Amino acid sequence: MVTILLPNYKTPELTKLCIRSLRKYTDLSQIRVIAIDSASQDESAEYLRKIPWIELIERSHDEVSVLSPPEMHTTALDLALAKVDSEYVLSMHTDTIITSPDWLDYLLKEINLTPDTAGVGSWKLEKIKPVKQFFKDLEDFIKISLGLRKKEFRFLRSHCALYRTDLLRQYTKGFNGEGGCAGMAIHKRLVEAGFKMRFLPSAELSKYMVHLNHATMIINPDEPERKRRNAQKQKNLQKKMDLDSFREILAADDSADGI
């Protein structure tokens, strides 16, 4: 059994697409889904209340209004983590869309390749052409070598990261215990404890899911300047959302939700 932790914040269409893709491509007897809504007070929260096969934690406006966006995310994950009693736990975003019925089997196979593997996932789940990736890596290498940029610490990001629950609980303080981005401190502590944290190739993981990168922030920019900068990103996001396969899922009736 795998428990999926799914924070939600004001993304009605994405939330529906995520939930419906999960149901379409997953044996529900293998998963438990705990969604955490951070006072969205919109259609996404109303939608989640209707889904009979998920558990919903609803946070009040007073509870989340004092939190920064990263804190809102990490504390949401920890609220759900406290309820987990399964062998594996998976953090996920509403902008992660499942596209293959083999996705969960793939992740479970990868985490069970060795008993000392504590987690599997990715740093960034995006398709980049090999030539573009080569020049990006070369640029990073040169800037780091010249002292123009610090070497980036890479960790399993929370858009899709599968952990062994007992190791996560024994060796870490959870997603918000040490601050920072969700999953960063978890990754550090598990590596320090001698466990493997495996990065799965983006090209391989992309066979099973799509991550609409930063979609929540694009949809809900918190500053006027970010709204202006996000104009092109919003157009790019809409193009991805307009894929025929996604529109087909969204156009389905309530039976697609298991109602």
Side-chain angles (χ1 to χ4, degrees), residues 51-65:
I51 309 302
W53 49 273
I54 69 169
E55 299 169 45
L56 177 61
I57 299 173
E58 295 194 66
R59 308 173 81 184
S60 69
H61 179 267
D62 289 343
E63 182 181 357
V64 302
S65 62

Side-chain angles (χ1 to χ4, degrees), residues 23-146:
R23 184 173 184 273
K24 181 176 181 178
Y25 293 114
T26 314
D27 178 352
L28 296 185
S29 68
Q30 292 186 311
I31 63 171
R32 175 190 180 195
V33 180
I34 305 177
I36 318 94
D37 181 69
S38 293
S40 295
Q41 299 177 328
D42 69 348
E43 296 92 337
S44 66
E46 293 174 9
Y47 172 76
L48 288 171
R49 292 186 193 110
K50 296 192 306 180
I51 309 302
W53 49 273
I54 69 169
E55 299 169 45
L56 177 61
I57 299 173
E58 295 194 66
R59 308 173 81 184
S60 69
H61 179 267
D62 289 343
E63 182 181 357
V64 302
S65 62
V66 296
L67 302 175
S68 67
E71 288 174 329
M72 189 164 67
H73 183 70
T74 53
T75 54
L77 288 169
D78 278 343
L79 279 173
L81 180 61
K83 296 177 175 289
V84 174
D85 58 5
S86 57
E87 183 177 1
Y88 304 99
V89 60
L90 174 77
S91 64
M92 190 171 171
H93 292 185
T94 54
D95 58 10
T96 300
I97 314 303
I98 304 303
T99 58
S100 168
D102 300 320
W103 75 277
L104 191 57
D105 289 339
Y106 169 69
L107 292 177
L108 289 170
K109 181 192 74 173
E110 293 297 325
I111 202 171
N112 285 301
L113 286 179
T114 61
D116 61 346
T117 299
V120 296
S122 69
W123 166 242
K124 289 186 178 180
L125 181 52
E126 56 187 1
K127 294 181 180 180
I128 300 178
K129 293 180 179 180
V131 173
K132 184 177 180 180
Q133 186 65 58
F134 171 79
F135 283 108
K136 185 178 184 302
D137 291 343
L138 179 61
E139 179 186 9
D140 290 344
F141 175 77
I142 293 172
K143 287 185 176 181
I144 291 170
S145 300
L146 294 175

